Amino acid sequence: CLLVDSWYDTYLGVVILVRVIDGKLSKHMKIKMMSTNQEYIVEKVGVFTPKPVDINELKMIGLKDKISVGERISVLLEKIDSYLQTKLENTNVEYQLSGLGVLYNNLLQSLFGSQITSLVFVFGAIFLMLLFLFKSLLTSLIVLFIPLIAVGFVFSFMSILSIPLDIMTITVAAISVGMAVDNTIHYICRYKKE
């Protein structure tokens, strides 16, 4: 266990908050403080929910063998949820997945939906700008076709290499659209001059 915090309570004595890294912590168990090399007996085990609730033991659920390194967070959360459902079946224990992993997963899910919406909006705005700039429907469609190829190529390449969309890689589409539109406008202007 990792000691997170401790304090003295007039009625309970010394109270410590711990995070179980491996194994378990239960009542009447002998523990050893590594900093002082002192041994103590655990008199009471509980959790804050936010009120204190007594329990028999705290233990780390062993998912290490079921999860591979680099696994996507959504797959990981699904595995944790299914594992807890099977372990806590026919008990009156309720659980809620929480923490930074859940927040990060929810953020990514909302980013994926907004990525499609923003790409449609961006290509529509670029088309209107090109139509105004070149005053030609055919030229505007040709210029717009190049960024579409660039975005399609980038997303296809990411899919082939199994590169997941996350906060960092999701900006690749915006960068490729910007570069492709900029270069295509320069080429079309140069072509029209010559």
Side-chain angles (χ1 to χ4, degrees), residues 33 44 46 87 114 144 158 177:
M33 296 293 177
K44 194 174 187 182
K87 282 291 188 184
S114 66
L144 193 62
M158 287 173 63
V177 167

Side-chain angles (χ1 to χ4, degrees), residues 101-114 167 170:
V102 175
L103 287 174
Y104 184 70
N105 186 50
N106 292 343
L107 175 69
L108 288 180
Q109 295 304 321
S110 66
L111 280 177
F112 298 151
S114 66
I167 293 174
I170 211 159

Side-chain angles (χ1 to χ4, degrees), residues 54-67:
D54 290 344
I55 59 173
N56 290 328
E57 68 180 9
L58 287 173
K59 65 181 175 179
M60 183 66 186
I61 296 172
L63 289 172
K64 294 176 187 172
D65 55 334
K66 297 178 172 50
I67 299 164

Side-chain angles (χ1 to χ4, degrees), residues 2 5 9 17 19 25 30 53 56 60 63 74 78 80-81 95 110 121 140 143 149 159 164 166 168 171 178 189:
L2 176 67
D5 195 9
D9 185 279
L17 293 180
R19 177 175 180 211
L25 180 68
K30 188 187 285 187
V53 175
N56 290 328
M60 183 66 186
L63 289 172
S74 58
E78 288 172 10
I80 291 171
D81 190 46
Y95 70 94
S110 66
F121 177 75
S140 300
V143 172
I149 291 174
S159 176
D166 58 21
M168 296 305 293
T171 60
C189 287

Side-chain angles (χ1 to χ4, degrees), residues 20-35:
V20 178
I21 304 297
D22 197 13
K24 67 179 182 176
L25 180 68
S26 58
K27 291 181 189 178
H28 311 297
M29 182 182 232
K30 188 187 285 187
I31 61 170
K32 182 178 185 179
M33 296 293 177
M34 300 307 284
S35 62

Side-chain angles (χ1 to χ4, degrees), residues 16 40 53 61 64 83 94 114 175:
I16 60 172
Y40 301 95
V53 175
I61 296 172
K64 294 176 187 172
Y83 180 81
E94 294 181 20
S114 66
I175 292 168

